[in-house]
Amino acid sequence: MLQVDFHVHSLFSQCGLHTILELLEKARALGLKGLALTDHGPTLGGKLNSVFFERFKSPFREVVLLKGIECNILDKDGTIDLPESFLPFLDIVLLGIHPNTPEGLSRTEYTEMLISAMEKNACIDIITHPNDSHYPVDYCILAREAARRGVALELNNSRILYSRTGIDETLLFLRACKEERCFVAVCSDTHALHELGLDESVRPLLESVRFPKELIVTESAFSAFDFVKSRAALK
């Protein structure tokens, strides 16, 4: 079980099933120390609103609420759908390639998209599910460029839990991150309550490649909050 979960969707994402309060209550019941609400950007129908970012406070002292967003790439130049007005209120920024990006492009093209996005948007903290077979990337190059910027690549529990990504492919991804000394963030990618904080599907993969614990930013609550703190100056 994760102590801090960086990738959680609420009803503000079209794919999320629960309210923010339901998610916080579940996190408290599970003993999580923190969670990041990272609903989708507007390109995928995310209903981000200023009231949440500017005014909402968690009613539970036991659980730190991190306010975030999972952005989408808009073009090959690395433009993302992050509303600039929300940036001062964001604790964490995720970026992933999603269905608004056409399939069938080359590995090089998808890799360059992500690198361009990191170059143009220093606020990006985590690249989500880079081992998506629909949008193949060069793991070594992406991990190298992410490591240069202190950006973490996500090891997404949901992708393995629901067999949406192959284990062999994920092991290749982890070996590349290990070789390039790139941070990895283990996340649940929660859409339903029972998924919150889960990491059981990917922990054996980390162990099988002997992935260095010091490169796992979600290894503990301390390392997770330290990662957020270290990235805060870029918001």
Side-chain angles (χ1 to χ4, degrees):
M1 178 70 65
L2 295 166
Q3 292 186 324
V4 178
D5 197 338
F6 281 153
H7 192 170
V8 178
H9 294 281
S10 76
L11 280 172
F12 286 130
S13 292
Q14 289 189 344
C15 54
L17 299 178
H18 305 284
T19 67
I20 294 169
L21 283 176
E22 286 175 320
L23 291 162
L24 286 169
E25 287 172 347
K26 181 67 173 181
R28 182 177 63 166
L30 292 170
L32 268 66
K33 303 300 182 184
L35 66 81
L37 259 296
T38 52
D39 285 306
H40 284 295
T43 304
L44 288 190
K47 297 179 181 179
L48 307 175
N49 70 80
S50 60
V51 175
F52 168 69
F53 288 113
E54 297 178 27
R55 297 167 62 176
F56 183 82
K57 295 182 180 180
S58 172
F60 308 122
R61 293 183 179 181
E62 308 95 318
V63 182
V64 175
L65 171 63
L66 301 170
K67 296 180 180 182
I69 180 175
E70 186 181 15
C71 300
N72 308 285
I73 292 182
L74 300 182
D75 55 42
K76 292 185 178 182
D77 295 326
T79 307
I80 64 175
D81 64 344
L82 172 61
E84 290 188 11
S85 61
F86 294 155
L87 190 54
F89 305 100
L90 291 171
D91 299 301
I92 193 164
V93 176
L94 280 52
L95 173 72
I97 300 180
H98 293 104
N100 63 291
T101 299
E103 295 184 29
L105 303 182
S106 69
R107 189 179 301 270
T108 297
E109 288 175 297
Y110 290 127
T111 304
E112 289 178 349
M113 279 185 188
L114 290 170
I115 293 172
S116 294
M118 287 190 288
E119 288 176 346
K120 290 183 66 173
N121 305 277
C123 60
I124 295 169
D125 301 306
I126 298 173
I127 301 296
T128 57
H129 42 71
N131 55 332
D132 187 334
S133 59
H134 296 288
Y135 308 102
V137 300
D138 187 311
Y139 298 134
C140 289
I141 293 176
L142 182 62
R144 187 179 309 137
E145 293 299 320
R148 285 182 55 231
R149 297 167 173 83
V151 173
L153 301 184
E154 183 193 47
L155 178 58
N156 187 300
N157 189 80
S158 177
R159 296 275 162 165
I160 300 300
L161 177 63
Y162 297 115
S163 301
R164 297 173 65 193
T165 296
I167 290 177
D168 289 343
E169 187 72 15
T170 304
L171 291 174
L172 287 175
F173 159 63
L174 288 175
R175 292 188 183 105
C177 291
K178 180 180 178 181
E179 178 69 23
E180 299 297 337
R181 301 290 297 175
C182 179
F183 289 135
V184 162
V186 181
C187 304
S188 70
D189 194 1
T190 288
H191 292 69
L193 281 182
H194 71 275
E195 298 164 349
L196 188 62
L198 291 184
D199 65 353
E200 287 84 353
S201 296
V202 294
R203 279 292 166 186
L205 306 184
L206 289 165
E207 294 168 3
S208 71
V209 301
R210 297 182 179 179
F211 199 85
K213 290 187 177 181
E214 66 269 18
L215 293 178
I216 305 173
V217 300
T218 49
E219 181 64 20
S220 66
F222 176 83
S223 64
F225 292 134
D226 188 61
F227 175 71
V228 173
K229 183 179 178 181
S230 71
R231 302 286 302 171
L234 300 175
K235 303 295 185 296

